[in-house]
Structure formats: structure tokens, C-alpha cells
């Protein structure tokens, strides 16, 4: 409720209360007045002569009905007749008050109505505008909904069409994969008609048409191949290869045709090579055929092959520089030749000849394998034994072939000499090694000369110990010769020439003894080697010995040199080397430019020349020094 409405309602209530009060206050005395007010008025002293007047009764009726204007009229009429009546005057006043209240109420009502009309005039356009907006919004929403429904329908139709095209495309692809391009092409064309830009439809149509063309070429090519027209078939299949490199079995068909053409060409070459006595070409062309087709039988060239194998094996068997690879090749030729005529009596003699050649080559194989075993085993005891076993098999089949006989003999001398050296059998070791040296002084990488040095030195030491000084001198001289031939190893030269000096001293050749001592030490350049304070004593001894030698005091010089030899290890340089079980001391000394005497002394070894376990070993040496 608005403030104006509340105000109007309050005024109306006050007017009604005033009306009730006035009616009760001015109601005439008597029964009617008592019913209205329930009380009497003190100013009613004069008799009310107008009580029976119809106007008065109407006045009361209008009063009861709150018709104040009529009340005013009737009171006015009564006052004309009764102008001084106090009751009527009071009644008139009461009615006027009530009429005034009524007018006030009406005025408030009119103001309220006017206010409402003004509010309506102001709000009506706004409400109308809002109504228009709402109406437009409803219409727009309805239109949008209709558009959305239409779009959804179109999308549904487009989706159905797309699914149909996709299914058709998938079917076409499946047909293509199944090798049915003629069935796939109409489907691709239908798709293109429905949607020219669909995926890669243009490319798919092109591929289908190309596949149809390829299939046509394939049918023509295979038919030509069946008809024996290999050149025509190859041309058609090569066209297919350009369009579709892996179409069906086209690669295999092309390879087969080309293989047959190559084989035909090789067969022609075999005949030409045989006519020209070109045995290696005959065999190589035949092996090329086997590489192309391992199961191909070519009986038309068997005779030519057998003869070519025979000639090649004979040529290999006559070589003086056989290798294991040569023997392997000959063995392969031998087996291939026998396979050509396994049971043919007409070739029995030829097969026997090949067997003899093969037997000789087998002996050569044993020899070469023995050498290979020895070299790959690093000349260890185990390798030596395996090599000896292999070499002994060279005599199993009888006479050695001339090409390998000398080489086998040299190998046998080396193995015998090496084995006897390790067993400390100096005489047979020297005999075998001397025989080998006379044929090949650099055999086994130069080991033959070093082994002779050690064998002569060891036998000379044995003779010296038995006081056979002249026999020892002879062996020492031989050892000295091999020491020089083995590159002039300074350590070995010092040790063997000191032995020569000592032996000459024993037999009274003092001057020669002093010469050997002086030459041995002077060759070492001992002055540069003895530079440490701990070596000063040895340096002084050698300086005094040289002075005595130059002064011609041979015996004094010899004594000083022999004293110096007891400290000769100060002249050596030592390195540490890992050695293995079954290695031999002679081989370790050879490979490290040392000697058996030095190895034994540096490592406190016994008499055995075979190493019993893996270990590190000190290796004395005497490398050359700069100028």
C-alpha cells in the first residue's frame, strides 16, 4: 500500500468515527434517539415539535445512510421553520463536519486517482516496450528453433549421405584390395558424381583404371610366357613393374625370366671358355649358374666341367707356395668333379687320378695346418704338440707331393729342434736347427737363429762345467756367430763374449781374453748406462779395467772385467710382461729381446723351459742408447 492510500484510509476512518459521534450526540430524544446513542442530550430542554415532521424523519434516515448532502438540505429546511432550535443547529454543525470530512476523503481519493493515472501514463510506454521486447524475443526464439530444426534435419541428411558415400568407398577399396579394379571403378565414379571433391576420389579412379590396364598387361605377359615367348613376356612384365612394382607375382616372373636368360648366356660362355682352355672361367661360369639356381642340372656341360676341375686340381697340386686356401679350393673342385660322374665306369681312371692328387694335397694340408697351429698358438708347448701331431700325419698317405716335400721337411726340422731344445737335448736340437738354418735362416720369424744361439750356449756351458774348455770355446764361438746374425742383440753379445773371454782365460790366451772383454763392454756404451750413484762402483771397476787393458796389463784387466761381470745386471733395463701357462722361456726371451740366462736370474727360475702357470715375469733387456 502506497503512502497516499494509507493517508486516505486514515482520513476515512476518522470521518466515520466523527459521523458516529455526531449521530449519537445530536440524535433527538425518544426511542429512536435511544437506539442510536444510548444516551440523552442535556441541551434538549425544549420540546422537539418537529419530530413528526417528515423532513426530520428523512433527516434521520439520511443520517443513518451517511448522505450528508441530503442531511444538509433537510436541516436547512427545518431551520427555516425552527431557526433557533439548538438541536437542529448542533445537528447542522455535525453534518457540516461530516460533509467536510467526506469532501476531504474525496479529495484524497481524487488525488490518489490522479497519482495512479500519472503513474500509468509514465509506466504504460515502458510496459509496452517491455512487452514488445518480450514478444520480439519470443518470435526470435521461435524462429531460431525452427532454423535449428531445419539445420539438424539438413545435418542428419548430410550425415546419412556421407555414411553412404563412405560405405561405398570402403566397398570399392575392398574390391581394389581383392584385385577387382573393374568392379571398384563404377563405385568410384558414382562417388565422384555425388561429390567431386570427396577425399582422393580422383586419385582412386586413376589407380583403378591403372590397375585395370596393369591386369590386362599381366594377362598378356603370362600368356606369352606360357607360349615360350620369354622376350615378349619380359617386355610386358617390365611395363607392369614401372606402373605397379609389386603387382601379384610380377617381380618373381621377371626374376625367373632374367635368371633363365643369364643361365643360357653362361652356358654359351662355358662352351667358349672350354674351347679356349680357360678352365677357371668354365668353373666360375658354372658356379654362377649354381648361385642363380642351386638345383639346376646342366648335364650338357658335365664333361667340360670334369676336365676343367681335373686341370685346376693338377695346377694347384704343382704349386710350390701352397696355402690352406689353395688346398680348400682344390678339395672343393675334387668333390664337385666326383659328383658329376659318381658311378660312371668310363671315368674310373680319371677319378683315380683325382684321388691321388687329393691325397697329396691332404698331406700338404696337414703340413700347413701344423704351421698354422704353431703360429697361432704363439709357439707355446701346447701349440707345439698340436703342430707335431699335424705334421706327423703328412706321412700317412705315402709319398709326399713334390710341391710340398721341401716345406714339410723344413717344418719338421723346426719342430724337432724346438721340441729337443725344450727338453734340453742340445745335440739333436742343434742338428735339426742347423739343417733348417742351412735352408732358411729366417724361418719362424728368426726364431731358428735365436734357438741355435741358446742351444750352443747351453751345450758350451755344459762342456765348460766339465772342464772341456776347448769344446766349450767352439760352441761359444758358434753361439757368438748367431748372436751377431740375430740383429746384434747387445745383451746376448755381452753374455756370450764374456763366456768367450772367460774360456780363453782358462786356456791361457790372456790377450785374446782381455780383447773379448774390452770389446763387449766398450760396445755397450757403459759410461752412459751407469749414471746413478748406486752404479758408481761398477763404473769405477770398468774404468780401471779399461785403463789396465790400454796399459797392456791383460791379466789385471781380465780380473777387473770378470769382477764387473758379477754386477752386469746393473747394465740391464727390466720390464714386466704377463705370460701364460705352457708358454716357453725361449719364445718369451726371443719376443722380448732377452735371453734364457737373464730370465732365469731375474725371476729365480729352475731348469724347466716351460712356464707352469700364468704369471708376470721380469724381462731384462739392453736397448740401444742414443749418441
Amino acid at each position: 500500500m502506497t503512502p497516499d492510500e494509507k493517508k486516505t484510509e486514515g482520513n476515512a476512518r476518522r470521518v466515520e468515527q466523527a459521523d458516529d459521534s455526531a449521530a449519537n450526540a445530536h440524535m433527538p430524544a425518544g426511542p429512536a434517539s435511544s437506539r442510536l446513542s444510548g444516551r440523552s442530550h442535556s441541551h434538549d430542554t425544549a420540546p422537539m415539535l418537529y419530530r413528526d415532521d417528515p423532513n426530520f424523519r428523512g433527516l434521520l434516515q439520511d443520517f443513518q445512510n451517511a448522505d450528508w448532502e441530503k442531511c444538509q438540505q433537510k436541516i436547512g429546511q427545518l431551520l427555516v421553520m425552527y431557526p433557533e432550535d439548538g438541536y437542529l443547529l448542533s445537528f447542522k454543525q455535525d453534518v457540516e463536519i461530516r460533509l467536510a470530512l467526506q469532501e476531504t476523503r474525496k479529495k484524497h481519493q481524487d488525488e490518489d486517482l490522479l497519482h495512479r493515472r500519472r503513474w500509468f501514463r509514465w509506466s504504460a510506454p515502458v510496459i509496452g516496450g517491455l512487452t514488445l521486447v518480450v514478444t520480439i524475443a519470443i518470435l526470435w526464439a521461435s524462429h531460431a528453433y525452427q532454423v535449428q530444426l531445419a539445420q539438424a534435419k539438413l545435418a542428419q541428411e548430410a550425415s546419412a549421405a556421407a555414411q553412404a558415400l563412405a560405405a561405398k568407398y570402403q566397398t570399392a577399396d575392398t574390391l581394389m584390395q581383392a584385385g577387382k579394379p573393374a568392379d571398384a571403378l563404377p563405385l568410384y565414379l558414382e562417388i565422384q558424381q555425388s561429390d567431386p571433391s570427396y577425399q582422393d576420389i580422383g586419385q582412386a579412379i586413376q589407380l583403378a583404371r591403372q590397375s585395370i590396364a596393369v591386369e590386362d598387361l599381366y594377362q598378356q605377359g603370362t600368356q606369352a610366357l606360357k607360349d615360350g615367348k620369354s622376350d615378349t613376356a619380359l617386355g610386358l612384365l617390365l611395363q607392369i613393374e614401372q606402373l605397379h612394382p609389386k603387382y601379384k607375382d610380377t617381380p618373381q616372373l621377371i626374376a625367373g625370366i632374367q635368371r633363365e636368360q643369364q643361365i643360357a648366356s653362361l652356358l654359351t660362355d662355358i662352351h667358349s671358355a672350354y674351347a679356349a682352355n680357360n678352365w677357371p672361367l668354365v668353373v666360375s661360369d658354372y658356379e654362377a649358374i649354381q648361385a642363380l639356381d642351386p638345383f639346376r642340372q646342366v648335364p650338357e656341360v658335365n664333361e667340360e666341367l670334369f676336365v676343367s676341375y681335373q686341370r685346376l686340381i693338377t695346377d694347384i697340386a704343382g704349386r710350390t707356395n701352397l696355402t690352406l686356401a689353395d688346398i680348400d679350393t682344390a678339395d672343393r673342385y675334387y668333390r664337385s668333379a666326383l659328383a658329376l660322374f659318381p658311378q660312371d665306369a668310363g671315368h674310373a681312371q680319371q677319378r683315380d687320378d683325382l684321388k691321388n692328387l687329393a691325397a697329396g694335397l691332404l698331406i700338404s694340408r696337414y703340413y700347413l695346418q701344423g704351421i698354422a697351429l704353431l703360429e697361432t698358438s704363439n709357439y707355446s708347448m701346447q701349440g707345439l704338440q698340436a703342430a707335431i701331431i699335424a705334421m706327423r700325419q703328412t706321412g700317412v698317405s705315402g709319398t709326399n707331393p713334390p710341391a710340398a716335400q721341401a716345406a714339410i721337411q723344413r717344418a719338421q726340422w723346426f719342430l724337432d729342434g724346438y721340441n729337443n731344445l725344450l727338453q734340453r737335448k742340445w745335440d739333436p736340437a742343434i742338428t735339426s736347427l742347423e739343417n733348417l738354418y742351412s735352408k732358411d735362416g729366417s724361418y719362424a720369424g728368426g726364431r731358428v737363429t735365436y734357438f741355435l744361439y741358446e742351444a750352443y750356449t747351453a751345450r758350451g756351458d755344459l762342456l765348460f762345467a766339465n772342464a772341456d774348455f776347448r769344446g766349450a770355446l767352439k760352441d761359444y764361438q758358434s753361439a757368438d756367430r748367431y748372436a751377431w746374425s740375430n740383429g746384434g742383440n747387445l745383451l746376448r753379445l755381452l753374455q756370450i763374449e764374456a763366456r768367450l773371454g772367460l774360456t780363453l782365460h782358462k786356456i791361457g790366451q790372456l790377450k785374446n781374453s782381455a780383447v773379448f772383454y774390452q770389446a763387449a763392454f766398450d760396445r755397450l756404451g757403459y759410461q752412459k748406462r751407469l749414471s746413478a750413484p748406486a752404479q758408481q762402483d761398477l763404473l769405477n771397476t770398468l774404468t780401471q779395467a779399461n785403463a789396465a787393458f790400454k796399459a797392456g796389463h791383460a791379466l789385471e784387466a781380465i780380473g777387473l772385467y770378470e769382477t764387473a761381470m758379477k754386477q752386469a745386471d746393473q747394465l740391464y733395463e727390466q720390464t714386466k710382461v704377463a705370460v701364460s701357462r705352457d708358454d716357453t722361456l725361449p719364445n718369451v726371451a726371443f719376443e722380448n729381446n732377452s735371453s734364457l740366462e737373464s730370465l732365469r736370474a731375474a725371476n729365480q727360475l729352475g731348469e724347466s723351459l716351460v712356464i707352469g702357470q700364468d704369471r708376470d715375469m721380469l724381462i731384462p733387456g739392453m736397448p740401444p742408447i742414443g749418441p
Side-chain angles (χ1 to χ4, degrees), residues 30 42 48 50 52 59 99-100 122 133 149 206 212 221 257 292 345 356 376 395 435 470 586:
S42 59
M48 299 180 63
Y50 46 78
D52 295 328
L59 172 64
L99 185 59
W122 174 81
V133 171
L149 287 177
Q206 182 181 359
I212 293 172
I257 295 172
L292 291 170
N356 291 332
T376 56
N435 289 332
R470 295 193 177 276

Side-chain angles (χ1 to χ4, degrees), residues 317 356 359-364 366-367 391-409 412:
N356 291 332
L361 290 171
L362 180 62
I363 295 172
S364 299
Y366 291 145
Y367 154 69
M391 284 300 196
R392 286 175 179 171
Q393 296 183 65
T394 59
V396 172
S397 300
T399 304
N400 298 333
Q405 188 173 12
I408 292 172
Q409 181 62 70
Q412 193 64 59

Side-chain angles (χ1 to χ4, degrees), residues 573-590:
E573 295 182 8
Q574 288 188 341
T575 57
K576 185 178 290 186
V577 174
V579 296
S580 302
R581 185 174 181 267
D582 280 338
D583 281 349
T584 69
L585 289 183
N587 195 58
V588 172
F590 170 77

Side-chain angles (χ1 to χ4, degrees), residues 41-108:
H41 299 276
S42 59
H43 57 270
D44 293 338
T45 57
M48 299 180 63
L49 299 179
Y50 46 78
R51 289 182 177 177
D52 295 328
D53 192 317
N55 286 332
F56 183 75
R57 288 193 295 272
L59 172 64
L60 295 178
Q61 184 64 38
D62 291 335
F63 189 90
Q64 291 293 329
N65 293 332
D67 190 350
W68 314 121
E69 291 181 356
K70 290 182 178 182
C71 287
Q72 188 178 30
Q73 292 175 2
K74 287 182 173 59
I75 290 175
Q77 293 173 359
L78 289 173
L79 285 175
V80 171
M81 296 178 63
Y82 309 101
E84 300 296 332
D85 187 77
Y87 177 79
L88 289 176
L89 291 172
S90 177
F91 205 123
K92 178 182 179 183
Q93 184 180 5
D94 188 23
V95 169
E96 288 175 351
I97 292 172
R98 291 178 183 271
L99 185 59
L101 291 174
Q102 181 176 329
E103 290 177 355
T104 302
R105 180 185 299 172
K106 182 178 180 182
K107 180 180 179 181
H108 285 296

Side-chain angles (χ1 to χ4, degrees), residues 144-157:
Y145 177 70
Q146 293 299 325
V147 171
Q148 186 176 7
L149 287 177
Q151 290 177 344
K153 184 177 181 181
L154 290 175
Q156 185 176 7
E157 293 174 353

Side-chain angles (χ1 to χ4, degrees), residues 170-186 188 207-216 218-219 244 246-249:
Q170 180 63 41
T171 302
D173 274 356
T174 302
L175 290 171
M176 286 292 293
Q177 294 174 5
K180 299 179 180 179
D183 295 332
L185 181 59
Y188 285 138
L207 180 60
R209 287 173 174 165
Q210 179 179 308
S211 298
I212 293 172
V214 168
E215 177 61 22
D216 183 57
Y218 180 80
Q219 295 299 330
H244 196 315
K246 296 182 180 180
Y247 189 74
K248 293 185 176 180
D249 60 344

Side-chain angles (χ1 to χ4, degrees), residues 219-234:
Q219 295 299 330
Q220 295 179 42
T222 53
Q223 186 60 45
L225 190 59
K226 291 178 182 178
D227 296 340
K229 301 175 181 178
S230 60
D231 290 339
T232 301
L234 181 61

